Amino acid sequence: MPRPLNVKLVVSVPTPVGLPVAKNTCLTQTVAQVSNERKSVTVQFVEAMRAVLNDPWIKDAYRGLPCDFTRERKLPFERLCVSLLKDRARATQTRLLDFFREGDFKKGITFPSASAFDQARAKLLGDFFHEWTHRAVDFFYANFPRESLVTTWMGWRLIAVDCSTIILPDNPETRHFYSIQTNQVPGSETVCGLASFAFDILNELPINACLEKVQAEKNLLFNNHFKLFSSDMIVIYDRGYADYAVAAMHVLRDVHFIIRCPTSSTYKEIEDFVKSSDRDRIIDLHATKHYKRQVKEGVYPAAIKVRLVKIKLPKGKVEVLMTSLLDRKKYKIADFKFLYERRWGVESGFYHLKEHLEVECFSSGKVNNIKQDFHATVFLQVLETIMSKAQDRIVRAESIQKGLKHVYHVNKSAAYAMLSQHLVGLFLKDDTMMRDHVASYQREVRTLKSPFRPGRHAPRQRLTPTRRLNYHKYERKRR
């Protein structure tokens, strides 16, 4: 029997500015322990997700009518849900043919027509996959810490919140339900929605996602994410959330935050701090006139105590962070620079959603089906992260033990493609076949690795309106 590899497992998050190791981001474990123990927790996770899929209460809650999914059909509830996860960008008839060939559900059964598939999915409410995602995230936080597979910083979960525009099919229904984006080019109207993520950046896990009309980003935060925040989180925001209401709600709910603030045309207290030579200051931030009525009604306090910190970016530019972490001895200025750099993880999450999982390649133009596709894609992102978690830890540990130039991790793009080939076996086959597929996926994903390259940075390209229009009219269609 080979000797266990006693190594220090460095937990890191891919960012374009490198991977510094911070407090409490290292765990000591042996590779032998990882490879033996993690398989069991991954199998338990898949079993829990199968239980959700086969739960009669779930079927009752997420079907359109009480009579839906009651008769024996080619696409019962469980089979329909899994089929919606696979090959969404392909033609319906082709994906159904491959799905039924792979499933081999009953001898002599023929695969359904595209029309039958559309009629079946019309019976499924779009929020089912949203619920399935929440069940997966809850299982992860409840069970994976016992195997030291949930990464935190000084005991805090780091959550980044951000938004991204999603291009949608153009038809009268989507134009009514979502937003229309225009520019100076006649006839260039584009239907789009605003997707918002609450993203665990150390574990690369979307804990919540929504897709709604284009609106103020803080509205999506208050209406969708805030109810999921807890006192063991630090929530990190970009400048779009530098609002008194956001900071005040965090203080009232006892949830810590870090917000990047504008350095001009902002609160007087922040402008005074920018002009000063101080790098760290605790102030009383007063509510603006805009919130006078809410303060009078007791919704928000008249002032909150926050800490302002100046951080210097690599190119010399100085930015200001506002935070509720007031303890200067415990939380140094360098810690805030590290924490804000980790916020890039949510940008990477959107990149995976759009580029690797092709969320904008919707299989239907109906609003309910768009919700299905969007939340099914987010569920796939969560599923890959959780199922690859243990193997990712092994890959990182082995690269350190071998003394390689770079620390390696599981390549997500390849892992998404590999996971798609196992969905039928994971959710629609018997328990023995399911365990075989879990083991097979774990073996395969360990070979799908790529290196972290500290300091690597690709400059952001600013698209002109003409280039953006050309992309949506021609380049995107050629994919």
Side-chain angles (χ1 to χ4, degrees):
M1 178 178 180
R3 184 178 177 181
L5 304 175
N6 292 296
V7 296
K8 197 174 189 180
L9 303 179
V10 182
V11 178
S12 50
V13 179
T15 69
V17 292
L19 296 164
V21 178
K23 307 170 186 176
N24 284 10
T25 57
C26 295
L27 300 169
T28 302
Q29 189 65 270
T30 66
V31 172
Q33 288 174 323
V34 171
S35 60
N36 290 331
E37 296 176 8
R38 303 306 187 260
K39 290 181 182 179
S40 61
V41 75
T42 306
V43 168
Q44 291 173 25
F45 166 70
V46 176
E47 289 175 343
M49 295 303 98
R50 286 162 63 99
V52 173
L53 187 62
N54 292 279
D55 187 344
W57 182 89
I58 290 290
K59 182 190 293 186
D60 290 341
Y62 293 100
R63 58 186 177 184
L65 298 172
C67 59
D68 291 338
F69 301 113
T70 55
R71 299 175 61 185
E72 184 68 25
R73 298 284 190 180
K74 295 178 182 179
L75 284 169
F77 180 84
E78 301 81 5
R79 200 176 295 167
L80 173 68
C81 293
V82 177
S83 70
L84 288 169
L85 294 174
K86 283 183 61 67
D87 304 324
R88 179 171 35 80
R90 298 175 64 192
T92 301
Q93 204 69 64
T94 305
R95 64 189 283 201
L96 286 173
L97 175 61
D98 290 347
F99 178 74
F100 273 77
R101 281 176 178 172
E102 181 182 353
D104 192 23
F105 302 114
K106 285 184 180 179
K107 290 184 178 181
I109 190 173
T110 57
F111 64 93
S113 64
S115 175
F117 176 75
D118 290 338
Q119 294 176 52
R121 71 182 302 185
K123 302 173 183 178
L124 177 68
L125 299 184
D127 290 332
F128 163 73
F129 290 102
H130 194 213
E131 174 68 21
W132 209 7
T133 299
H134 283 175
R135 298 290 188 98
V137 171
D138 290 345
F139 184 95
F140 176 75
Y141 287 124
N143 296 275
F144 278 62
R146 294 198 295 267
E147 307 293 345
S148 299
L149 283 171
V150 176
T151 308
T152 61
W153 180 82
M154 295 181 67
W156 300 102
R157 284 189 284 163
L158 302 184
I159 308 297
V161 175
D162 207 354
C163 292
S164 182
T165 300
I166 302 292
I167 305 301
L168 302 172
D170 189 348
N171 59 59
E173 186 180 5
T174 55
R175 281 173 171 259
H176 173 74
F177 197 85
Y178 292 105
S179 303
I180 301 175
Q181 179 176 305
T182 61
N183 57 30
Q184 71 276 17
V185 180
S188 62
E189 293 182 345
T190 302
V191 179
C192 59
L194 191 64
S196 180
F197 261 7
F199 196 85
D200 185 332
I201 49 184
L202 293 184
N203 295 292
E204 303 177 86
L205 184 73
I207 66 170
N208 194 41
C210 61
L211 177 64
E212 297 185 12
K213 280 187 174 183
V214 176
Q215 56 192 281
E217 296 176 348
K218 65 179 181 181
N219 293 340
L220 298 181
L221 168 67
F222 292 147
N223 297 333
N224 295 279
H225 302 319
F226 229 106
K227 58 190 175 184
L228 301 175
F229 293 164
S230 58
S231 57
D232 65 336
M233 296 178 177
I234 298 175
V235 189
I236 306 174
Y237 302 95
D238 204 358
R239 286 175 292 188
Y241 296 88
D243 187 273
Y244 181 81
V246 175
M249 284 295 289
H250 275 275
V251 172
L252 292 174
R253 300 277 183 97
D254 193 27
V255 178
H256 286 298
F257 66 89
I258 298 173
I259 305 176
R260 180 183 176 185
C261 298
T263 55
S264 61
S265 302
T266 182
Y267 296 91
K268 183 179 183 301
E269 297 91 337
I270 297 177
E271 291 183 343
D272 292 342
F273 175 68
V274 172
K275 296 174 183 177
S276 73
S277 59
D278 295 346
R279 295 185 61 203
D280 190 342
R281 180 187 292 180
I282 296 177
I283 65 166
D284 288 325
L285 185 69
H286 294 84
T288 60
K289 294 180 180 179
H290 179 74
Y291 294 107
K292 183 177 180 180
R293 180 175 62 83
Q294 288 92 329
V295 171
K296 186 176 181 180
E297 295 174 352
V299 177
Y300 301 132
I304 57 174
K305 193 173 292 294
V306 297
R307 180 181 176 187
L308 302 178
V309 176
K310 290 178 183 175
I311 60 172
K312 193 172 184 180
L313 301 182
K315 293 185 178 180
K317 186 178 180 181
V318 175
E319 294 290 352
V320 175
L321 301 180
M322 177 170 62
T323 180
S324 57
L325 299 168
L326 306 180
D327 191 336
R328 287 171 171 161
K329 292 183 178 180
K330 188 174 183 181
Y331 305 106
K332 309 296 183 183
I333 293 178
D335 293 332
F336 292 104
K337 183 177 181 180
F338 168 83
L339 291 173
Y340 190 75
E341 286 176 347
R342 303 279 77 70
R343 193 203 69 86
W344 189 260
V346 69
E347 306 286 358
S348 298
F350 275 121
Y351 175 79
H352 294 313
L353 188 75
K354 288 185 171 184
E355 297 298 321
H356 299 152
L357 292 170
E358 299 180 315
V359 69
E360 292 178 318
C361 293
F362 291 98
S363 61
S364 172
K366 296 180 180 179
V367 169
N368 184 65
N369 296 353
I370 288 173
K371 290 182 178 180
Q372 290 174 0
D373 286 345
F374 175 77
H375 289 295
T377 307
V378 175
F379 175 75
L380 274 179
Q381 194 170 9
V382 170
L383 185 67
E384 183 279 328
T385 295
I386 297 177
M387 289 200 60
S388 301
K389 193 70 175 174
Q391 308 311 310
D392 186 65
R393 187 67 61 88
I394 294 173
V395 169
R396 297 177 194 229
E398 289 178 342
S399 62
I400 296 170
Q401 189 273 337
K402 292 177 180 178
L404 301 180
K405 180 180 179 180
H406 297 296
V407 175
Y408 281 72
H409 68 114
V410 169
N411 184 303
K412 283 191 169 291
S413 176
Y416 293 136
M418 194 63 65
L419 180 61
S420 178
Q421 300 176 18
H422 292 281
L423 290 172
V424 172
L426 291 174
F427 295 115
L428 298 177
K429 298 293 185 178
D430 58 40
D431 290 346
T432 302
M433 287 288 290
M434 178 270 289
R435 290 184 175 86
D436 289 343
H437 277 273
V438 170
S440 177
Y441 175 76
Q442 290 178 323
R443 287 192 303 270
E444 294 161 357
V445 83
R446 282 201 297 272
T447 68
L448 309 173
K449 54 188 178 182
S450 56
F452 287 122
R453 294 183 175 90
R456 190 181 187 187
H457 178 71
R460 177 181 294 182
Q461 294 183 354
R462 299 286 183 180
L463 292 180
T464 64
T466 302
R467 289 183 62 188
R468 191 182 299 276
L469 176 63
N470 182 72
Y471 169 79
H472 289 299
K473 290 183 68 176
Y474 304 108
E475 294 182 25
R476 185 166 172 262
K477 292 182 178 180
R478 288 197 295 264
R479 290 186 171 186

